[in-house]
């Protein structure tokens, strides 16, 4: 296995050991372009796989409902201290099991059932927890949704950016108690300042969902929402490159309510092994090398976007400022859906996810879009040149999607590229 962390995963369960080995093979011989994924460091993996999984610790440091907490209290305090320092926040809660839990906990903390929330619509780039009818959030709170400006063919002003006139009009009309900024499929920077201005105008609170861009913010490659937002939620496993999980930072005045909403409001015992891994990730993200990493993520995404455009894909919102590129496949091939593109690329060893694009005529299951991201393969050491090669490989696979031999050839080329970029070769102990 070479420099693989796989040795640590050999279990006495042959079936699971074999499946772990199979996914190591998948992760290292195919290209990982899912914008919400990354390669966590060996130290993060070690903490997440540690004996702290054995400990029950309902409550918070110094206020637990079980005995024997002196170690996990220190772990959780360390994670909270590192997180507040990383983002310059007043208060941190590191217990949310995932980003969705973090968002629901904030709604529960700051709102009553039936209150109005203004957030980005799912098909415009928002997340399920921003009020999709498929999410439990829409059953408890009333959502009003803003979107992006219309697409334009003017390259200097391509449109499909957050429509602040729309946000303001809807805020004035519906007087939401909470405005949510942040997105799951949006490739431009999100400036929290205009959201704050609108929130103040209507007396609303402001939550910034930084699930995708938390790592970029930590590394200084995306403006921080912390000075503007009452609360910032995020996931720890995307650009932040930690374990799978969520976290919340907030102003001191909301701290007590947020903590009570996470536990006992939403969750039982915290995952202290994951909290230890979050602490490791927060420390890693505070190092100067992490800023170099996030700068490279953005440079790679920009090069990737340019190369994809030259292959004939239309870039939603005209390009990218972050780690993500959202492609409208219809200009490349009017017949090609996101679902088919994702499946073809999977066969060619290129892992992506289909995604709706603004005003998508196709259903969320089929879609006209594809979302790709640069965070994971930047961790593996790829640079602009490799992302340009990947754009060409994607185009080749999609053009020859009915030719199985051509797809095998692309897969072999992908494997040859991946062989030069072991994601675990770049981490130091
Ligand atoms: N918020 C946004 C903007 C997201 O993109 C995501 C995940 O994709 C979430 C929340 C939810 O995170 P999780 O999948 O950890 O629940």
């Amino acid at each position: 296995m070479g420099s693989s962390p796989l040795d640590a995963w050999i279990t006495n369960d042959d079936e699971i050991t074999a499946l772990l080995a199979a996914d190591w093979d998948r992760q290292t011989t195919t290209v990982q372009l899912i914008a919400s994924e990354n390669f966590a460091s060996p130290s993060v993996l070690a903490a997440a796989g540690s004996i702290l999984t054995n400990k029950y610790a309902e409550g918070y440091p110094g206020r637990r409902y079980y005995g024997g907490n002196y170690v996990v209290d220190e772990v959780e305090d360390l994670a909270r201290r590192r997180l507040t320092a990383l983002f310059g926040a007043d208060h941190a809660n590191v217990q949310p099991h995932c980003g969705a839990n973090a968002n629901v906990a904030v709604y529960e903390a700051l709102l009553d059932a039936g209150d109005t929330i203004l957030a980005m619509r799912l098909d415009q780039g928002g997340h399920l927890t921003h009020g999709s009818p498929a999410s439990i959030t829409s059953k408890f709170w009333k959502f009003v949704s803003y979107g992006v400006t219309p697409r334009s063919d003017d390259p200097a002003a391509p449109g499909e950016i957050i429509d602040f006139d729309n946000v303001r009009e809807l805020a004035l009309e519906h007087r939401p108690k909470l405005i949510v900024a942040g997105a799951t499929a949006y490739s431009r920077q999100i400036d929290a300042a205009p959201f704050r201005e609108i929130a103040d105008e209507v007396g609303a609170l402001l939550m910034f969902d930084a699930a995708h861009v938390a790592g970029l913010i930590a590394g200084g490659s995306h403006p921080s929402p912390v000075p503007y937002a009452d609360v910032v939620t995020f996931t720890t496993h995307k650009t932040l490159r930690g374990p799978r999980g969520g976290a919340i930072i907030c102003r001191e005045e909301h701290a007590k309510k947020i903590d009570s909403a996470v536990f006992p409001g939403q969750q039982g015992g915290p995952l202290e092994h994951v909290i230890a891994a979050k602490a490791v990730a927060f420390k890693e993200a505070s190092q100067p090398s992490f800023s170099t990493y996030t700068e490279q993520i953005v440079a790679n995404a920009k090069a990737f976007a340019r190369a994809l455009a030259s292959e004939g894909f239309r870039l939603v919102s005209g390009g990218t400022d972050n780690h993500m590129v959202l492609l409208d496949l219809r200009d490349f091939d009017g017949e090609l859906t996101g679902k088919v593109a994702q499946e073809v690329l999977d066969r060619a060893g290129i892992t992506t996810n289909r995604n709706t694009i603004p005003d998508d005529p196709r259903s969320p299951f089929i879609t006209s879009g594809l979302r790709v991201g640069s965070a994971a393969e930047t961790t593996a050491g790829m640079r602009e040149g490799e992302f340009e090669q990947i754009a060409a490989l994607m185009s080749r696979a999609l053009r020859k999607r009915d030719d199985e031999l051509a797809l095998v050839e692309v897969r072999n080329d992908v494997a040859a590229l991946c062989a030069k970029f072991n994601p675990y070769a770049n981490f130091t102990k």
Side-chain angles (χ1 to χ4, degrees), residues 77-151:
D77 261 337
L78 193 56
R80 295 196 296 192
R81 276 203 308 279
R82 286 180 179 172
L83 182 53
T84 50
L86 185 62
F87 290 106
D90 293 346
H91 179 75
N93 187 306
V94 293
Q95 293 194 0
H97 297 334
C98 66
N101 279 25
N103 287 354
V104 178
V106 172
Y107 301 160
E108 186 191 332
L110 303 181
L111 307 173
D112 293 317
D115 280 347
T116 300
I117 304 175
L118 177 59
M120 198 171 193
R121 215 171 71 208
L122 183 68
D123 75 310
Q124 304 276 297
H127 186 254
L128 288 162
T129 55
H130 299 176
S132 156
S135 156
I136 195 167
T137 55
S138 67
K139 295 187 175 61
F140 285 92
W141 296 282
K142 179 175 171 245
F143 281 85
V144 178
S145 304
Y146 60 84
V148 295
T149 57
R151 164 189 176 180

Side-chain angles (χ1 to χ4, degrees), residues 36 98-100 103 127 129-130 183-184 209 211-212 235 237-238 245:
S36 41
C98 66
N103 287 354
H127 186 254
T129 55
H130 299 176
T184 199
D209 181 346
H212 267 271
T235 58
H237 48 270
K238 297 185 173 97

